[in-house]
Amino acid sequence: MARIFHDEDAPLTALENKRVAVVGYGNQGRAWALNLRDSGVDVVVGTVADASRRAAEEDSFEAHEVAAAVRDADVVCLLIPDEVMGEAVAANIGSALKPGAAVVFASGYAVAFDEVSLPEGVDVVLVAPRMIGVGVRDCYVDGSGFIAFAGVERDVTGSAWPIALAVARAIGATKRGSVEMTFRQEAIIDLFVEQGIAPALQKVWRDAAMVLLEAGIPLEAILAEFYLSGEIERTYRAMREIGPTRQWQLHSQTSQYGTMSRADRYADVDLASNMRSTVAEIDSGAFAKEWAAERAAGYPRMTELRNADGRDQLMDFEDDVRTKFEARD
Ligand code: NDP
């Protein structure tokens, strides 16, 4: 069983008299900086001098160039896009780090796939929220908290765990619980949801829409049923609140019988072999290499995939259907 850390396992004293630099003031950066400050932590923000810097200053943070913020910090939270992590650390972060500082990542990617090289004398820890940035802030403010994955890759000082847990607590990630994970495990699960589950679901929804259209059901009704009504969202919420098994009670007997009695029809569909290949590709670093090469080449495949999807027309169509279902006063 994985260890799960809660507030009582994560004293904030590990951050007493320490200065925390939040590098990057985007989705996660802003939420982390605000939560850390509201938890009584001394925060400085490091950004390139642009809109992010102005946003941090408007929120009354002391904001500096990245290297200047890092130089004075005991704890450095790298909240910049994973794809620029290696470059940014090599350019000005790595050399500015104090010996004995702790570097905190919100994602395992850059470390797991060797895209970043950090000086030897620093701790390397993971605090990876399972929550988008605005949610990190909202769940801190309303007191509900959120789940995160936490881990230690390198413990030079002997205090890497207390620091990781204190940061997790200060941003609100030990209220519901932070699960112990390695950087590689976090990267695998994170990428797997995107590469192993999302495309499979996409195929299910596409095939289902096609079959229902063939049966003469109007497209608007299909989209309402699939997601616009919010019914499935409610079912997911119920899974979280009362558990996947107990939420069955919220559905009619007909629904329960229909689902259970037809489940076997899909039992032999082999999803696992594709999923295993996906995990192997992620775990070996092959996907990370492919993605690095794609970026270096200026995103040719990404552009092709986006265009092939006919994304613009699809978005116009979706906007049109959504508008039709807006509540009228
Ligand atoms: P964003 O894209 O929202 O924010 C990036 C920030 O980094 C911006 O302030 C940007 O500045 C700045 N930045 C970009 N390039 C550089 C650079 N070379 N040097 C310094 N600053 C730079 O990122 P996210 O908040 O989405 O992601 C941050 C981390 O959090 C990642 O590791 C991600 O995997 C992780 N994470 C993200 C989640 C999410 O929901 N978004 C969920 C959980 C983890 P500017 O705007 O000026 O370019």
Side-chain angles (χ1 to χ4, degrees), residues 24-28 48 50 52 79-82 84 106-107 129 131-132:
Y25 204 72
N27 288 310
Q28 293 289 327
V48 282
D50 62 1
S52 287
L79 300 172
I80 59 179
D82 294 316
V84 304
S107 147
M131 186 56 77
I132 57 170

Side-chain angles (χ1 to χ4, degrees), residues 23-29 32 46-48 50-53 66 78-82 84-85 87-88 92-93 105-107 109 127-133 186 190:
V23 177
Y25 204 72
N27 288 310
Q28 293 289 327
W32 283 47
T47 64
V48 282
D50 62 1
S52 287
R53 169 83 57 87
V66 173
L78 292 183
L79 300 172
I80 59 179
D82 294 316
V84 304
M85 205 70 87
E87 218 173 83
N92 54 8
I93 296 172
F105 287 85
S107 147
Y109 194 104
V127 178
R130 311 332 284 163
M131 186 56 77
I132 57 170
E186 194 278 340
D190 195 48

Side-chain angles (χ1 to χ4, degrees), residues 215-287:
I217 310 285
L219 186 56
E220 288 82 353
I222 294 172
L223 300 186
E225 191 72 21
F226 284 4
Y227 65 93
L228 283 168
S229 67
E231 191 183 5
I232 287 182
E233 222 173 293
R234 293 255 170 192
T235 299
Y236 267 82
R237 193 195 296 174
M239 284 189 200
R240 168 164 68 82
E241 289 170 351
I242 59 177
T245 308
R246 215 175 286 282
Q247 69 82 28
W248 274 110
Q249 296 160 6
L250 306 176
H251 303 270
S252 70
Q253 292 253 70
T254 317
S255 151
Q256 294 181 36
Y257 173 76
T259 302
M260 289 188 283
S261 63
R262 267 59 182 169
D264 274 358
R265 291 185 182 173
Y266 298 90
D268 293 335
V269 176
D270 180 20
L271 295 175
S273 53
N274 265 336
M275 288 176 167
R276 280 193 198 100
S277 309
T278 301
V279 167
E281 205 173 51
I282 297 169
D283 193 26
S284 67
F287 172 78

